Amino acid sequence: MPTAPRPTAPAPTPPPPAAPSLTERRKAATELEIARAAAALFAERGSAVTADDIARAAGVALRTFYRYFRTKEDAVAPLLAVGGRQWLAELRRSAGETLAAEADGPTVRDALERAARRALTPSDERAAEALRWTRGLLRVMRDDPALRAVWHRVHHDSEEALIPVLAEVTDGGPLEVRLAAAAANTAMRVAVETWAAADDGADARAEDPAELVARGMRALTAGLPGLDRRRT
């Protein structure tokens, strides 16, 4: 008499990532403080800023500065990366809300746009200040190839981090997921660059990075049907 197949045990739930240690949190805090000082100085003085200027402004020794960063331009990377991390966190939240919604609710494309809007809408004065520093940095970058290289590296890392998030919530294959990540990341980068380049007297719509990223996201993802996924 044939034996009934045994039920397959559900796959174990992976454990949550370990919380950063106290040493790691202190290191990250120091990096961010140095990055804020660097961003403020670059925005104010341009490429004439030195590593020694940044170290003094951050209240650390020059040798401490070089323990954290290889060059003065590298010092702004942690601040620039904050926006990308906030965007990914917002996207995970928005995508979860999307997939838990009714079948005729918002799509993954909607989640991308909503997350981008939230990431570029400062929630407090410190976030608004960081966005202003980013704007100043982007204006300085036009004449500073080393700073531009840091900006593009940060966005490359952000795009790579976006791929597994989109892979979880879209139905496309590897090509479609990479295209979606590239389109969304490019929309974010170009929106912030366009906002930073706008004259201070431009109309409010042109100066609003959240509005610019929403328009760019819709334009660049229009041909990606995998982002139309809703809960099934």
Side-chain angles (χ1 to χ4, degrees), residues 79-103:
L79 182 67
L80 296 176
V82 165
R85 288 196 298 271
Q86 290 173 339
W87 181 35
L88 285 174
E90 290 288 355
L91 178 57
R92 289 188 181 97
R93 186 180 305 113
S94 293
E97 292 168 358
T98 295
L99 296 183
E102 297 301 324

Side-chain angles (χ1 to χ4, degrees), residues 8 48 63 77-78 104-105 125 149 154 156 169-170 173 175 198 232:
T8 304
R63 65 181 180 179
D104 60 350
E125 179 51 35
V154 166
H156 170 77
V169 296
T170 63
L175 175 62
T232 56

Side-chain angles (χ1 to χ4, degrees), residues 11-88:
T13 303
S21 67
L22 179 59
T23 299
E24 290 170 331
R25 293 198 302 273
R26 285 174 174 169
K27 181 176 183 292
T30 301
E31 283 183 341
L32 194 54
E33 284 305 312
I34 295 173
R36 289 190 179 107
L41 287 173
F42 273 116
E44 178 185 346
R45 305 181 196 171
S47 58
V49 171
T50 66
D52 193 43
D53 293 333
I54 297 169
R56 283 201 305 271
V60 299
L62 185 59
R63 65 181 180 179
T64 300
F65 174 91
Y66 281 118
R67 278 207 304 268
Y68 285 92
F69 303 106
R70 203 167 45 85
T71 68
K72 64 180 183 179
E73 292 85 8
D74 285 339
V76 302
L79 182 67
L80 296 176
V82 165
R85 288 196 298 271
Q86 290 173 339
W87 181 35
L88 285 174

Side-chain angles (χ1 to χ4, degrees), residues 137-208:
L137 279 170
L138 284 168
R139 291 180 170 183
V140 172
M141 283 177 197
R142 289 177 290 196
D143 302 313
D144 193 322
L147 276 177
R148 284 202 307 274
V150 173
W151 172 246
H152 286 287
R153 186 176 76 235
V154 166
H155 271 276
H156 170 77
D157 293 345
S158 178
E159 182 176 319
E160 290 296 309
L162 184 57
I163 290 170
V165 177
L166 289 177
E168 292 178 3
V169 296
T170 63
D171 297 320
L175 175 62
E176 289 74 20
V177 170
R178 290 194 69 89
L179 285 173
N185 186 68
T186 299
M188 179 68 83
R189 177 179 59 80
V190 172
V192 176
E193 290 174 351
T194 302
W195 166 71
D199 293 336
D200 292 332
D203 63 81
R205 181 182 175 88
E207 288 188 348
D208 181 2

